[in-house]
Amino acid sequence: MRAEVRAVRAKRSGKGRRRAGLLAAGGALALAAVTACGGGTSSGSAAPQQGFTEAPQAGGALTVWVDSTRLAAAQLYHKEHPSVKMTIVTYDGDANGSNYLQTKVDLFDRTGSGWPDVVFSTQNNEVSWAVHAGFTAPLNKGLIPQSTLAGWATGANNPCLVNGTLYCLRNDLAQTVLWYNSALMKRWGYQVPATWEQYEALGQKVAAQHPGYLVGSAGDTFTPEIFMWASKCGANQITGPKKVTVNTTSANCTRMASLLDTLIKDKTMSTSSVFSSDFDKNDAGKILMLPGPAWYGGALFQGTFKTPKGQIAVAPMPQWSGDSAPSVGNVGGGTWLLSAHSKNLKAATAFLTWVTTSNDYQAKVAPGYPAYAPAAKTWLANQASSGYYTGDITAPLQAAANQVWPGWGYGQFSQEAIWASTVTPGLNAGKAIVSMLPAWQKAIVNYASSDGYQVKQ
């Protein structure tokens, strides 16, 4: 076996620290050509697959692109399948919406070569351009059995569907739940809120009785994905490949914006990023509650904040009183795409299936909550047996995985970038979020229109 490594700087856009567990390292592109001691896949032509025209099947090395976090997945696959020749490329994973993958695919399209067989992206909206570009192959037209595809959590693969055809597979979920400090809750005699109304009331009580302690944070660019998405705010309803409905001033939007404004004014809702040194220094030790994605447990509380074990618990995301259909948001969770240009479909499909469903990776190694439900069960069991958390973390995380509101879509434009440029500056200047909802809508419309979307308001 031999390995050759080289690095190429990848141009990146966007600001802010990467989310722990979802990030690529340093913006560099490193290539590790790993040649197994045994032979690769056999050459020859695979049977034609419905939905796209296959490239001539030549076999050879399997080229897989991953971010630094998913490098462990590719390396483990090679270890378990030593006869498969692999070329593993680490890149930024399209971190912060860098569009590096799309830029490279455009180049490969012009030169007629260079496409990877399988690629991982930290973004959930890659199919918004990749299908039109003819890059990603349909998976539910014969490549992967329906019996396998049925194993994903409800709605998990929605970002991959275009007119009923599946063009990618979700790697992990980032469903939101309510993280809270169980020890403080018990000490102060508080009840975990089941509704947003109770959550707001508790935040106001904390402001009066325990000033300095927090019930949440609204300082990150993914704030709308935690709060507005969970409130069924119709800011991002993708209704077709190039159609979107935008309404940020509905009751569902204003009720959550008002709640955030109230708690920000009371100083129980932070306006600092949970990844900032300021938050880590001043706020990490004063968290009573923190609505956020499934990966907050390991990435923030265990990793960044170093919260002692036996304190952190998980509860269902609060719901609005009278709403009979529970809804949560989603912050992240990547996707795997199989190239329609692959000359090694058999090996590529085998890798894609393994990396998204195998307990060896998804349940035992992967940092995030697996989108594939059977692997998620084992992953949850491992988390529960770690001794770090208190109470039952399985039930709320498992339930939330099937409650992500489908009305928030995955357009080509970045909602995080829009929020960062439109709402965050005003928030830092002391403006109320409610007052900025019209400006948020205008910005979404402008971004969507510039990307060729037909916008309905």
Side-chain angles (χ1 to χ4, degrees):
M1 181 182 295
R2 61 179 176 80
E4 175 188 350
V5 179
R6 61 183 174 89
V8 180
R9 181 64 58 183
K11 183 178 180 181
R12 307 179 78 183
S13 62
K15 298 180 181 179
R17 289 183 59 182
R18 294 289 301 134
R19 305 170 196 163
L22 301 175
L23 320 181
L29 179 128
L31 180 142
V34 184
T35 305
C37 300
T41 57
S42 61
S43 60
S45 178
Q49 302 295 332
Q50 182 180 352
F52 76 111
T53 302
E54 295 180 9
Q57 297 299 290
L62 177 68
T63 300
V64 176
W65 282 23
V66 292
D67 69 340
S68 61
T69 302
R70 259 51 60 164
L71 177 60
Q75 291 174 329
L76 179 59
Y77 184 80
H78 183 259
K79 180 180 179 181
E80 292 189 1
H81 303 81
S83 64
V84 178
K85 294 181 180 180
M86 292 183 68
T87 299
I88 303 170
V89 178
T90 62
Y91 79 118
D92 72 349
D94 267 355
N96 293 319
S98 72
N99 293 324
Y100 184 78
L101 176 61
Q102 184 177 4
T103 300
K104 295 300 288 185
V105 168
D106 287 343
L107 174 62
F108 300 150
D109 287 345
R110 292 195 298 271
T111 60
S113 64
W115 303 281
D117 294 293
V118 181
V119 61
F120 173 82
S121 172
T122 62
Q123 306 300 305
N124 291 321
N125 63 352
E126 297 290 11
V127 300
S128 64
W129 65 266
V131 173
H132 178 73
F135 170 67
T136 185
L139 304 176
N140 60 344
K141 302 292 186 179
L143 283 178
I144 298 179
Q146 183 57 41
S147 57
T148 300
L149 297 176
W152 267 257
T154 303
N157 281 328
N158 282 354
C160 302
L161 286 169
V162 177
N163 294 329
T165 299
L166 188 71
Y167 287 98
C168 67
L169 291 177
R170 194 78 172 275
N171 177 76
D172 57 307
L173 299 181
Q175 70 275 32
T176 58
V177 291
L178 181 63
W179 298 94
Y180 69 96
N181 189 308
S182 178
L184 287 179
M185 282 283 192
K186 292 177 181 178
R187 184 188 310 169
W188 295 339
Y190 291 150
Q191 296 295 315
V192 178
T195 68
W196 284 115
E197 291 87 351
Q198 293 170 354
Y199 173 86
E200 182 177 9
L202 181 54
Q204 292 176 297
K205 184 179 291 186
V206 170
Q209 298 179 352
H210 304 282
Y213 282 82
L214 301 174
V215 299
S217 173
D220 286 284
T221 58
F222 47 84
T223 292
E225 296 169 350
I226 295 176
F227 294 101
M228 308 305 279
W229 191 337
S231 189
K232 301 179 182 178
C233 172
N236 196 38
Q237 294 181 300
I238 304 298
T239 58
K242 281 291 182 177
K243 294 181 180 180
V244 60
T245 298
V246 183
N247 182 5
T248 68
T249 58
S250 69
N252 288 356
C253 301
T254 56
R255 63 184 180 181
M256 183 57 77
S258 178
L259 179 150
L260 294 175
D261 286 337
T262 296
L263 297 182
I264 289 171
K265 183 179 179 180
D266 287 345
K267 297 183 179 180
T268 53
M269 178 70 64
S270 173
T271 56
S272 296
S273 167
V274 294
F275 293 112
S276 67
S277 57
D278 175 66
F279 191 97
D280 191 22
K281 179 181 178 180
N282 300 315
D283 298 329
K286 293 188 175 182
I287 297 173
L288 177 65
M289 298 184 291
L290 189 64
W295 49 267
Y296 266 13
L300 286 185
F301 290 106
Q302 279 186 277
T304 302
F305 301 157
K306 309 297 182 186
T307 306
K309 67 178 182 178
Q311 294 187 11
I312 301 303
V314 185
M317 199 74 162
Q319 303 298 317
W320 292 104
S321 295
D323 193 338
S324 60
S327 60
V328 305
N330 182 84
V331 187
T335 51
W336 292 92
L337 295 83
L338 190 155
S339 172
H341 304 281
S342 175
K343 298 179 180 180
N344 205 351
L345 277 174
K346 183 177 180 181
T349 303
F351 172 81
L352 181 67
T353 302
W354 179 92
V355 79
T356 53
T357 66
S358 171
N359 271 346
D360 287 352
Y361 173 65
Q362 285 289 352
K364 300 176 182 179
V365 178
Y369 185 104
Y372 186 67
K377 290 182 180 179
T378 306
W379 186 89
L380 283 166
N382 290 338
Q383 299 297 311
S385 65
S386 69
Y388 179 75
Y389 302 101
T390 182
D392 177 19
I393 71 167
T394 297
L397 282 167
Q398 223 167 27
N402 297 299
Q403 294 172 346
V404 176
W405 184 55
W408 191 284
Y410 302 88
Q412 191 170 349
F413 49 93
S414 168
Q415 279 290 348
E416 293 182 8
I418 297 171
W419 185 271
S421 64
T422 307
V423 179
T424 300
L427 190 62
N428 292 334
K431 292 184 179 180
I433 296 176
V434 168
S435 72
M436 293 184 282
L437 292 179
W440 184 34
Q441 168 143 342
K442 182 178 179 181
I444 296 171
V445 170
N446 289 341
Y447 271 78
S449 298
S450 67
D451 280 326
Y453 279 79
Q454 180 182 336
V455 182
K456 179 180 178 182
Q457 300 186 61

